[in-house]
Amino acid sequence: MGLLKKVIIGAALFGAYKYVTNKDKLTGRSVLDDIKDNAPKWVEKVKNLKTY
């Protein structure tokens, strides 16, 4: 049972990795590229919320 659970979790992680790193056909960008570009904006928003 433990081996089956590890195989299922590994397959799910592999699928998530493939989804995040898959390039879009139209723009040539991946979800990971968008996250990298927007991360500084999100950090600033969180810092602003922390001050309230």
Side-chain angles (χ1 to χ4, degrees):
M1 189 68 173
L3 179 63
L4 180 61
K5 187 191 299 186
K6 288 181 182 180
V7 168
I8 292 171
I9 291 171
L13 288 174
F14 179 72
Y17 173 78
K18 291 292 283 182
Y19 173 76
V20 169
T21 59
N22 191 18
K23 299 284 184 183
D24 186 18
K25 301 260 189 278
L26 295 175
T27 61
R29 297 180 52 82
S30 67
V31 174
L32 188 61
D33 294 334
D34 293 337
I35 291 172
K36 286 180 186 176
D37 290 344
N38 292 329
K41 294 179 212 170
W42 296 336
V43 169
E44 288 301 319
K45 285 183 182 178
V46 169
K47 285 180 182 177
N48 290 336
L49 290 175
K50 189 174 118 177
T51 59
Y52 290 118

